[in-house]
């Protein structure tokens, strides 16, 4: 069964109930997840809590009292969204995205990060509630969600995972927020997981990523495939790309992920110069949603956004370099205080 067909089944199961694991049997999946959990224990934990990065970024573009005021960015998800593994707040992906968004928009960005290490998709409803907080004036202009890895390793049924994610996206969209989802990363890149289990881990996580895309694009959100985005860099330069636990990304690893998400984040707010034109020189295309979701799951950094009817745009936006090593701000800027932006260069 093709990945596109499996993703359609999972997404349909999320919408209407039912659904299964597709081609990968339950026994095989159980073996994969046991191996992934063993990998987690092998590399170790003990990183503590991620640094808090909430606050105002790009204050040189004006204070919160100036019209039209700062853009509001919300971050939701698991340890990747929280930035577990780095010591400085400004090295977290949320802070890097806030700095990059401020530089592109030339406008301050107020960041609020409610992501929690270890979170699964069943925590998204609580996180959305924290962001919306019953105050329409504080609704984020745009939200980034990074979720899915813990759903796979803790054996949440993929239909339930997608259903919970789409419910969270729906709430944010109805409240008036643009939404960008970083889909489930490729668990086949975890070094202590060996073949053939690595192939199975890759297959299960990519199936979930494709189904996530099908579910949220229908609600007007955009997705960016995390896939094996960090895999090649980790393999080539593990001392720099891994954090101290040899499992979560380092500052360089998070900067790589932020660099992939930033163009789509800006495009969601109409700030990216490329807009939504297709560039055939970068193999961009308009495809049926299931086919585009499948293709994106297999190619990290790929964006999927709705076009018309059942058709979506498959895009490979030019990235802006985010220099995590230049970030030296204090570890936890308080809301409403100034903080310097990360170093952002022009299109790559």
């Amino acid at each position: 069964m093709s990945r596109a067909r499996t993703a359609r089944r999972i997404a349909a199961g999320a919408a209407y109930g039912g659904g299964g694991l597709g081609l990968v049997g339950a026994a095989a999946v159980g073996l994969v997840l046991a191996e992934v959990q063993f990998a987690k224990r092998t590399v170790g934990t003990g990183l503590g809590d991620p640094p808090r990065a909430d606050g105002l970024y790009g204050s040189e573009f004006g204070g919160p009292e100036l019209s039209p005021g700062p853009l509001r960015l919300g971050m939701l998800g698991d340890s990747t969204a929280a930035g577990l593994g780095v010591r400085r707040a400004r090295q977290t992906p949320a802070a890097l995205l806030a700095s990059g968004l401020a530089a592109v928009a030339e406008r301050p960005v107020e960041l609020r990060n409610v992501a929690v290490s270890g979170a699964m998709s069943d925590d998204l409803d609580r996180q959305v509630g924290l962001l919306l907080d019953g105050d329409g004036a504080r609704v984020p202009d745009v939200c980034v969600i990074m979720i899915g890895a813990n759903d796979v390793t803790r054996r949440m049924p993929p239909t339930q995972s997608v259903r919970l994610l789409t419910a969270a996206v729906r709430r944010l969209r109805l409240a008036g927020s643009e939404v960008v989802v970083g889909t489930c990363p490729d668990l086949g890149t975890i070094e202590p997981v060996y073949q053939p289990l690595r192939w199975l881990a890759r297959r299960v996580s990519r199936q979930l990523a494709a189904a996530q895309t099908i579910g949220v694009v229908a609600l007007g959100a955009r997705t960016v495939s995390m896939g094996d985005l960090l895999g090649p860099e980790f393999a080539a330069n593990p001392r720099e790309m891994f954090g101290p636990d040899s499992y979560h990304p380092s500052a360089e690893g998070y900067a790589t992920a932020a660099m992939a998400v930033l163009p789509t984040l800006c495009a969601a707010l109409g700030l990216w110069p490329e807009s939504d034109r297709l560039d055939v020189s970068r193999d961009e295309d308009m495809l049926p949603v299931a086919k585009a979701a499948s293709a994106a799951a297999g190619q990290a950094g790929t964006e999927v956004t709705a076009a018309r009817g059942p058709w979506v745009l498959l895009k490979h936006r030019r990235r802006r370099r985010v220099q995590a090593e230049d970030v030296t701000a204090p570890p936890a800027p308080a809301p409403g205080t100034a903080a310097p932006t990360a170093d952002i260069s022009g299109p790559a």
Side-chain angles (χ1 to χ4, degrees):
M1 184 183 299
S2 70
R3 186 189 303 146
R5 185 175 177 186
T6 301
R8 280 198 302 267
R9 287 183 57 186
I10 295 172
Y16 304 111
L21 292 173
L23 188 62
V24 182
V29 171
L31 189 59
V32 170
L33 302 184
E35 188 78 1
V36 171
Q37 293 291 358
F38 174 76
K40 286 185 176 181
R41 291 193 296 270
T42 298
V43 299
T45 54
L47 292 179
D49 294 326
R52 295 297 302 173
D54 292 16
L56 190 70
Y57 293 78
S59 58
E60 65 270 27
F61 300 113
E65 72 282 354
L66 298 180
S67 179
L71 289 167
R72 294 178 297 276
L73 169 62
M75 193 81 173
L76 310 89
D78 54 25
S79 59
T80 302
L84 185 66
V86 296
R87 287 185 285 183
R88 293 191 178 100
R90 296 299 304 273
Q91 295 171 326
T92 63
L96 291 167
L97 289 173
S99 298
L101 180 58
V104 173
E106 297 185 346
R107 182 175 167 187
V109 172
E110 182 183 345
L111 169 64
R112 190 174 181 200
N113 191 347
V114 296
V116 178
S117 297
M120 300 165 63
S121 291
D122 57 8
D123 191 51
L124 288 177
D125 182 66
R126 183 191 65 84
Q127 294 183 26
V128 171
L130 289 174
L131 277 183
L132 300 183
D133 201 26
D135 183 356
R138 290 183 55 84
V139 172
D141 295 292
V142 63
C143 291
V144 176
I145 303 174
M146 294 181 175
I147 201 78
N150 294 321
D151 293 7
V152 174
T153 60
R154 297 181 188 175
R155 308 185 71 168
M156 176 180 284
T159 52
Q160 181 183 358
S161 176
V162 174
R163 186 181 303 119
L164 292 165
L165 173 61
T166 54
V169 171
R170 184 179 295 107
R171 284 185 66 190
L172 291 169
R173 294 288 293 146
L174 288 173
S177 292
E178 299 293 336
V179 180
V180 176
V181 175
T183 55
C184 181
D186 184 352
L187 297 179
T189 62
I190 299 174
E191 286 299 325
V193 177
Y194 301 106
Q195 297 289 13
L197 296 181
R198 180 173 293 183
W199 178 87
L200 290 171
R202 172 168 289 118
R203 185 174 184 84
V204 171
S205 50
R206 286 185 178 183
Q207 283 179 352
L208 177 57
Q212 287 176 321
T213 295
I214 293 173
V216 305
V217 166
L219 298 173
R222 300 174 187 240
T223 64
V224 179
S225 170
M226 294 291 100
D228 61 350
L229 181 69
L230 303 178
E233 290 89 346
F234 278 17
N237 206 356
R239 292 183 179 228
E240 290 189 12
M241 302 304 289
F242 276 121
D245 69 343
S246 299
Y247 183 83
H248 289 90
S250 66
E252 289 290 341
Y254 282 128
T256 300
M259 185 174 65
V261 174
L262 178 60
T264 300
L265 177 64
C266 295
L269 294 172
L271 300 171
W272 205 247
E274 298 174 47
S275 70
D276 285 330
R277 296 194 311 272
L278 292 174
D279 187 341
V280 294
S281 69
R282 297 206 296 272
D283 296 323
E284 297 181 346
D285 204 351
M286 182 180 289
L287 298 169
V289 61
K291 188 173 181 180
S294 176
Q299 187 170 1
T302 304
E303 175 190 325
V304 178
T305 185
R308 53 180 179 270
W311 296 84
V312 297
L313 302 179
L314 186 74
K315 294 189 64 65
H316 309 289
R317 295 188 184 275
R318 296 186 188 276
R319 303 177 186 176
R320 286 182 181 262
R321 183 70 59 180
V322 180
Q323 303 290 353
E325 67 272 18
D326 292 338
V327 177
T328 57
T337 60
T341 59
D343 187 15
I344 307 293
S345 69

